[in-house]
Amino acid sequence: MKVIIQRVKEASVSVETKIIGKIKQGMLILVGFKENDDLENVKKMALKISLLRIFADANNKMNLNIKEFKGQLLSVSQFTLYADTEKGNRPSFVNSLEKEQANILFLAFNQELENILRLKIETGSFGANMEVSLINDGPVTIILEN
């Protein structure tokens, strides 16, 4: 499982020009799954993200997690995080988890985050062609993989 976290001032995701998820300050999380990922990966990643201290405290140090900061979350599935570009010029996605299983894990991941943080998680639409807009804050971009 791989996630790219961007600390944002705001972010939204649209499908066919209709906004389906939108947040103010918080985290935009791009989420990808590979073969052999399971619910254990999901639980570990959700816990790691919930505790990740990437928001500024009163001394302007990255010392607050998403809950302490009172931020919002937007989670977007992105199978292209496991693109293999070793050979040729066209990415291969053979390492990405098949769609049905990835969707199950994506839903479980978002539910786990909601359970841990007691926050509603905004999401994109799994498998849809989405447009993601954001204002990156910092910029702060963190890549996590397990």
Side-chain angles (χ1 to χ4, degrees):
M1 179 175 183
K2 184 185 292 188
V3 298
I4 296 178
I5 299 168
Q6 295 189 325
R7 190 177 74 185
V8 297
K9 292 189 177 191
E10 63 182 56
S12 66
V13 60
S14 303
V15 175
E16 297 179 3
T17 70
K18 182 179 185 295
I19 294 175
I20 61 169
K22 184 175 183 175
I23 63 168
K24 297 288 185 188
Q25 285 189 305
M27 292 178 179
L28 168 64
I29 306 170
L30 305 175
V31 185
F33 299 96
K34 68 181 181 320
E35 292 295 325
N36 300 319
D37 280 340
D38 58 21
L39 290 174
E40 192 61 32
N41 296 102
V42 164
K43 289 178 181 181
K44 285 180 184 177
M45 187 65 76
L47 183 60
K48 178 73 173 179
I49 290 168
S50 73
L51 298 173
L52 194 62
R53 299 184 312 167
I54 63 169
F55 296 95
D57 64 12
N59 296 315
N60 205 29
K61 299 282 184 198
M62 284 201 300
N63 203 28
L64 301 177
N65 64 40
I66 188 76
K67 191 165 188 160
E68 294 165 334
F69 180 73
K70 296 180 175 61
Q72 299 178 317
L73 287 115
L74 174 59
S75 177
V76 177
S77 63
Q78 188 171 353
F79 77 96
T80 60
L81 294 182
Y82 280 103
D84 181 354
T85 58
E86 289 293 314
K87 296 180 184 174
N89 295 315
R90 192 178 94 182
S92 168
F93 301 104
V94 297
N95 295 325
S96 296
L97 188 60
E98 62 89 14
K99 188 175 181 176
E100 286 182 23
Q101 187 62 30
N103 188 29
I104 291 168
L105 292 180
F106 181 67
L107 294 171
F109 171 71
N110 294 325
Q111 187 62 58
E112 188 71 19
L113 276 173
E114 283 187 355
N115 292 344
I116 292 170
L117 295 170
R118 302 284 186 233
L119 296 173
K120 181 180 184 318
I121 310 298
E122 293 287 314
T123 66
S125 178
F126 187 90
N129 186 16
M130 297 174 276
E131 293 181 0
V132 179
S133 299
L134 69 129
I135 298 175
N136 195 315
D137 182 16
V140 174
T141 302
I142 309 290
I143 300 170
L144 301 174
E145 188 168 13
N146 68 11

